[in-house]
Amino acid sequence: MKKTVLTFTLAASVLALGACSNSANSSDIIATSKVGDITQNDLYQEMKSSIGDQAFQLLMIEKVLDSKYKVSKEEVDAELKADKEKLGDNFEAMIAQQGYTEVSYKKYLKLNLLQEKALTEDVKVSDDEVKAAYDKIKDEINARHVLVKDEATAKKVKAELESGKDFAEVAKKYSTEEAAQTTGGELGWFGKGQMVPAFEDVAFKLKKNVFSDPVKTDFGYHIIEVTDTRTIKESFEDKKAELEKQLKLEKADKATLLPKVAKMMKDADIKIKDEDLKTALDSILKSADTPKETNADTTKDAGTTDSSK
C-alpha cells in the first residue's frame, strides 16, 4: 500500500470519522439504545479528547494543500484501480487491516497525491532517466515469499514447501511479515528496482516454481518462489508519466515538505476558535521558520514499507 509522506499514524481513523462534520446539527442522534443515546457532539468530543490534535492537523493539511494543488477524481480512481489490481482478492482485507473502508481509503489516496504534488513540483528529471527506468521495469516477475528471523527456520520452511505443503499456509504459520496473514506471502507483479537488491538479485534469476535457498536481507531470511514472468504490455509512452512521477518522488527531498506545509498554513491565517485545539498546529507552524535539516527526522521515515521492498 502507498504511504503518505508526512507522519500521521491516525490517518485512517481521522478520515473514516471525517463524515461526522457533514451533519448540520451537532445534537443529531447517531445511535439510540436502552441505556442512552449518542449524538454527533458526543462523538466529536470523544474524538477530540483522544485524537483531536492529530485529526485537526491532518484535516488542515488537506485544506491548505487542496487550495494550491489539484487532484482529480480520475487521479484518485486510477490510484485505487492500481492498488486493487496489485492486491487482487486481498484488497479488502488489506485496507481493513489498516483501518480503512473503501471510501476513507480514497480520501487517504487523495491526501497522498496532494502531498506528492507539493513535494515534487520543483523536481526535474530528464527523458534519458525516464527511458532508463522503463528499460529496468519492462520485464516483470510474479513472486511470493516467506520471511523469517533466522536461517535455520528458513531452511525448515523450504523443506516444508518442497514436501508439497501449501505455500500460503506455510507463510501464515512462519512469516514474520504481518501482511502474510492476509496475502499468504504473495507479492504480486514487480520489476527491477522495486525490491531490496539482495532479494531482487535472487528473485530475477530464479526459474519458475523453484524455491530459493535462504536469502538474507536487513529484514531477515526469505524463501522466494517465482510463479510467473512477463514483459509488460505498456509502451514507453504509456508508462512515461508514471515513471516520471516515480523518479521525481525518488529525487525529492522529503525534509522540505513539512516546512512548505507550515508556510502555507501561516499564509492561510488560520484562526482556531476551539480552545481545546488552540495549540494543535504549533508543532507544524514552527517548522516554517526552522532550517529543513532539523526537520529531516520528522519526514524521512514516514510510512512503512513492505518487508521485501
Side-chain angles (χ1 to χ4, degrees):
M1 291 174 66
K2 297 175 178 63
K3 304 295 175 186
T4 48
V5 179
L6 291 174
T7 306
F8 289 96
T9 57
L10 296 171
S13 301
V14 174
L15 293 172
L17 290 169
C20 295
S21 62
N22 294 331
S23 298
N25 190 344
S26 64
S27 64
D28 285 350
I29 294 174
I30 60 175
T32 62
S33 75
K34 292 180 179 179
V35 294
D37 300 338
I38 294 178
T39 67
Q40 178 183 300
N41 189 60
D42 292 333
L43 179 60
Y44 169 74
Q45 293 298 332
E46 179 62 29
M47 184 179 77
K48 186 174 70 170
S49 66
S50 58
I51 59 171
D53 282 7
Q54 288 161 297
F56 187 69
Q57 289 172 5
L58 190 66
L59 294 171
M60 205 67 242
I61 286 171
E62 182 178 17
K63 281 194 176 294
V64 296
L65 290 175
D66 199 36
S67 70
K68 181 176 180 180
Y69 309 100
K70 297 305 174 186
V71 171
S72 68
K73 178 180 180 297
E74 289 72 24
E75 288 178 283
V76 175
D77 287 344
E79 291 286 307
L80 180 65
K81 180 182 178 182
D83 284 354
K84 283 185 173 182
E85 289 177 350
K86 181 177 181 180
L87 294 170
D89 293 338
N90 296 310
F91 175 76
E92 294 292 342
M94 284 295 292
I95 65 170
Q97 187 180 61
Q98 298 296 321
Y100 293 104
T101 63
E102 185 166 318
V103 172
S104 63
Y105 187 64
K106 287 175 73 172
K107 291 180 180 179
Y108 158 79
L109 290 175
K110 180 182 178 181
L111 180 58
N112 191 63
L113 288 167
L114 285 168
Q115 291 187 80
E116 289 179 352
K117 290 189 177 187
L119 184 64
T120 61
E121 65 176 337
D122 299 319
V123 179
K124 306 295 182 184
V125 296
S126 68
D127 285 344
D128 287 344
E129 288 177 294
V130 181
K131 183 62 168 63
Y134 176 77
D135 290 340
K136 181 183 286 187
I137 59 94
K138 65 182 180 180
D139 294 317
E140 295 184 323
I141 60 175
N142 194 312
R144 50 191 181 179
H145 75 142
V146 181
L147 174 64
V148 296
K149 291 182 178 179
D150 57 79
E151 187 175 11
T153 306
K155 289 179 178 179
K156 182 178 180 180
V157 165
K158 181 179 180 181
E160 290 194 15
L161 291 172
E162 289 182 332
S163 73
K165 289 191 176 181
D166 181 75
F167 196 103
E169 292 305 314
V170 172
K172 290 176 183 179
K173 179 179 178 181
Y174 289 102
S175 186
T176 59
E177 182 183 42
E178 185 177 345
Q181 295 305 311
T182 52
T183 66
E186 295 285 348
L187 296 169
W189 290 98
F190 58 90
K192 292 181 178 179
Q194 293 180 252
M195 302 293 178
V196 294
F199 185 100
E200 180 180 290
D201 289 346
V202 173
F204 275 87
K205 293 174 183 176
L206 274 178
K207 292 182 179 179
K208 286 169 55 174
N209 304 316
V210 173
F211 302 112
S212 72
D213 289 328
V215 178
K216 185 180 180 181
T217 71
D218 290 341
F219 304 104
Y221 289 82
H222 309 255
I223 297 297
I224 309 167
E225 180 190 16
V226 173
T227 57
D228 206 355
T229 63
R230 72 181 182 189
T231 298
I232 63 173
K233 296 178 181 178
E234 296 94 336
S235 67
F236 171 67
E237 289 302 321
D238 291 335
K239 296 286 287 183
K240 184 176 180 180
E242 177 187 335
L243 290 170
E244 185 175 359
K245 172 185 169 181
Q246 180 181 317
L247 289 171
K248 284 183 177 181
L249 283 170
E250 291 173 1
K251 279 189 172 186
D253 181 358
K254 294 179 176 62
T256 64
L257 181 58
L258 191 58
K260 179 179 285 190
V261 169
K263 185 178 185 306
M264 292 175 70
M265 284 186 176
K266 282 197 170 184
D267 293 343
D269 192 26
I270 300 165
K271 307 294 185 186
I272 303 175
K273 297 182 179 181
D274 190 317
E275 289 297 324
D276 293 332
L277 298 173
K278 280 291 186 182
T279 61
L281 300 179
D282 287 0
S283 62
I284 295 178
L285 291 172
K286 69 180 181 181
S287 300
D289 303 316
T290 305
K292 70 178 184 179
E293 288 78 10
T294 63
N295 293 316
D297 290 341
T298 307
T299 56
K300 67 179 180 180
D301 295 323
T304 58
T305 55
D306 292 339
S307 60
S308 55
K309 298 183 181 181

